Amino acid sequence: GSVFVMLRPRGSRAPVERVARPAACEPVAGPFALTLPDGTKTTIAKPVSWTELSDDFRYFSGTAVCEFAFKLPPGRASGRRVTLDFGMVKNVAEVAVNGKNLGVLWKPPFEVDVTDACADLADGAEARVVAKVANLWPNRLIGDDFKPDDCKWKPGGGIVEIPDWVKRGEKSPTGRTTFTTWKHWRKTDEPLPSGILGPVQIRVD
């Protein structure tokens, strides 16, 4: 993201244009339902990092589905727009509201205009949100490092040789999900924040 800073010449009496602040935000009450690709589910009252949940989520890397609803606020007349603000997302989210795909959020601000997706709903009605959220790979690598090694490592962290089970296209004999030729992350490392971190809010601009 970028900003523009405009400096007036010294002594200038030109009027300053102030940008109006958006209307007050309404928090989305939740609950928030999370589902992993293997079908593991949990429900949370408010957005938190997956690393604060059970190990299934704490060490998960990939794309999970987050589902929740929000009530449409009043004041949508006269061309005003309704925005769903996710606060912070780690790291990418594809968002659909009432079955309408609203695109991918990959950088701040993590927000989408939901006006058209909610055009047929009255004020106070519930809109349904499905967000497919993907995080980075380190958390799975950290979680796997709690399991026994499935290959031999050099002191500096590199692999000694590609093991036979990899060459045969088999799964890890120790139950690891991932395979790398270098130990980038270890079980002593702290997992990276993941998921929708919030605060999730609705506002009318």
Side-chain angles (χ1 to χ4, degrees):
S2 303
V3 296
F4 291 94
V5 179
M6 308 298 292
L7 301 177
R8 295 183 297 170
R10 180 174 295 180
S12 171
R13 296 181 179 275
V16 176
E17 180 181 354
R18 299 187 181 277
V19 179
R21 294 182 179 273
C25 295
E26 292 290 335
V28 174
F32 299 81
L34 301 177
T35 305
L36 299 183
D38 66 359
T40 301
K41 299 177 181 288
T42 192
T43 300
I44 53 179
K46 63 179 182 179
V48 296
S49 173
W50 299 342
T51 58
E52 298 182 30
L53 306 177
S54 67
D55 283 357
D56 287 333
F57 291 87
R58 178 176 173 82
Y59 299 116
F60 171 75
S61 291
T63 302
V65 176
C66 177
E67 300 178 76
F68 62 94
F70 65 87
K71 290 187 177 182
L72 285 166
R76 292 184 292 155
S78 303
R80 301 184 73 184
R81 311 299 294 180
V82 181
T83 299
L84 174 60
D85 186 344
F86 287 87
M88 179 57 67
V89 174
K90 293 292 184 180
N91 294 88
V92 177
E94 182 180 21
V95 181
V97 176
N98 292 337
K100 182 178 178 62
N101 191 307
L102 300 182
V104 175
L105 305 178
W106 59 276
K107 63 179 182 61
F110 292 99
E111 58 185 39
V112 290
D113 186 324
V114 300
T115 309
D116 296 337
C118 301
D120 296 334
L121 299 180
D123 290 352
E126 278 197 342
R128 302 295 306 178
V129 180
V130 177
K132 298 177 181 178
V133 186
N135 68 341
L136 301 178
W137 202 22
N139 291 0
R140 182 68 272 162
L141 295 173
I142 294 170
D144 273 2
D145 203 44
F146 284 93
K147 298 178 180 179
D149 278 328
D150 51 16
C151 54
K152 296 181 179 179
W153 299 96
K154 298 176 183 178
I159 196 170
V160 173
E161 61 180 353
I162 304 296
D164 290 338
W165 63 268
V166 172
K167 296 176 182 178
R168 293 192 298 266
E170 299 172 354
K171 293 184 178 180
S172 167
T174 64
R176 290 183 176 224
T177 303
T178 58
F179 170 75
T180 63
T181 57
W182 194 275
K183 277 206 173 187
H184 299 278
W185 299 85
R186 301 176 185 274
K187 60 185 178 184
T188 51
D189 293 316
E190 191 66 24
L192 304 182
S194 298
I196 297 172
L197 307 184
V200 179
Q201 304 176 98
I202 285 290
R203 71 170 187 266
V204 180
D205 294 315

